């Protein structure tokens, strides 16, 4: 396991999806506009590798020895152009394009279309030959582009796990839109392990309902397609770390590791 192995896995996934797009373009051209964020966590020999494309996020709950409190530590990097450094990165990569990032309806978007600067897929913003009819006009960029607008290069961080590292929350931006890193960590820490992911989703939905001045029960009744106008999709995984096995793995380089999901499934 290494940064390079993870990078190659992302590239293989990107290449695999591109080949699907190429084959299906003649009959299903809209597949060129399909893309996804991708967040990966790998634990190997007491080391946590986190790789990210897009605006999902991984946050670790870690206990402070001196005080006993559990603090949130973000262990991933996001690629959303609402972040100034991400806008600057795009502008430096495309110095000849003054419209590479546009403020549209008070939201920053790449070419006025999409909020993320890196993804799997979204071939219509990576290869000019797929940015044309019969792709829907709302996805087409007016001027031809010579280099890919979006990237599929993940940001990868490496974290040596310590006994005080208790759990990791991996979630899409739908969760972080409504909860801060610390609020999410507190919610996991202050309740039983079982059902942690479901509890986080519910807390985010309750917050979304409050912002819309409606009841959570009424929000839940809205059909999925229409619900998208009220909140983004939310996917959450909570992984609990066994500190004894983590410390043993990091000292012996043993392949054995124990993780337990926050739902109904226990992984040996």
């Amino acid at each position: 396991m290494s940064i390079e192995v993870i990078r190659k896995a992302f590239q293989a996934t990107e290449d695999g999806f591109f080949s699907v797009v190429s084959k299906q373009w003649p009959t299903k051209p809209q597949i060129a506009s399909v893309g996804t964020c991708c967040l990966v966590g790998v634990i190997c020999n007491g080391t946590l590798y986190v790789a990210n494309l897009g605006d999902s996020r991984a946050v670790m709950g870690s206990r402070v020895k001196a005080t006993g409190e559990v603090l949130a530590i973000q262990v991933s990097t996001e690629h959303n152009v609402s972040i100034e450094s991400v806008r600057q990165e795009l502008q430096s990569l495309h110095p000849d394009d003054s419209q590479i990032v546009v403020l549209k309806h008070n939201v920053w978007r790449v070419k006025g279309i999409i909020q993320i600067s890196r993804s799997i897929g979204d071939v219509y913003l990576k290869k000019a030959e797929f940015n044309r009819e019969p792709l829907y006009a709302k996805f087409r960029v007016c001027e031809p582009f010579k280099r890919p607008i979006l990237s599929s290069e993940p940001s990868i961080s490496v974290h040596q796990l310590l006994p005080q590292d208790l759990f990791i929350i991996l979630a899409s931006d739908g969760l972080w839109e409504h909860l801060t890193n610390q609020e999410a960590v507190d919610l996991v820490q202050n309740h039983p392990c079982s059902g942690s992911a479901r509890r986080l989703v519910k807390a985010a939905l309750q917050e979304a309902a409050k912002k819309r001045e409606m009841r959570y029960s009424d929000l839940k009744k809205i059909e999925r397609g229409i619900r998208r106008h009220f909140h983004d999709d939310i996917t959450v995984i909570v992984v609990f770390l066994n500190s004894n096995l983590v410390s043993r793995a990091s000292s012996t380089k043993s392949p054995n590791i124990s993780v337990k999901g926050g739902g109904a499934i226990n992984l040996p």
Side-chain angles (χ1 to χ4, degrees), residues 9-75:
F10 270 75
Q11 191 57 53
T13 307
E14 171 80 348
D15 293 345
F17 188 68
F18 172 64
S19 70
V20 172
V21 173
S22 299
K23 285 173 192 162
Q24 296 198 10
W25 169 258
T27 55
K28 296 179 183 174
Q30 306 316 322
I31 195 172
S33 66
V34 174
T36 182
C37 297
C38 185
L39 175 63
V40 173
V42 180
I43 297 170
C44 184
N45 293 331
T47 301
L48 168 68
Y49 297 83
V50 176
N52 191 45
L53 278 180
D55 53 9
S56 295
R57 186 185 302 170
V59 173
M60 182 146 56
S62 191
R63 192 183 300 282
V64 179
K65 281 183 178 177
T67 62
E69 63 183 325
V70 177
L71 292 184
I73 301 169
Q74 187 168 323
V75 289

Side-chain angles (χ1 to χ4, degrees), residues 129-162:
E129 62 266 34
F130 293 98
N131 198 292
R132 58 182 174 84
E133 289 187 328
L135 190 69
Y136 294 143
K138 65 179 178 179
F139 294 121
R140 295 204 297 271
V141 177
C142 299
E143 60 284 344
F145 53 92
K146 293 188 178 74
R147 66 175 76 89
I149 294 168
L150 300 189
S151 162
S152 60
E153 178 74 17
S155 290
I156 304 174
S157 66
V158 181
H159 182 92
Q160 201 61 47
L161 289 174
L162 301 168

Side-chain angles (χ1 to χ4, degrees), residues 13 19-20 25 51 81-82 94 145 172 204 206 222:
T13 307
S19 70
V20 172
W25 169 258
V81 288
S82 63
H94 303 269
F145 53 92
S172 64
Q206 285 172 327
I222 300 170

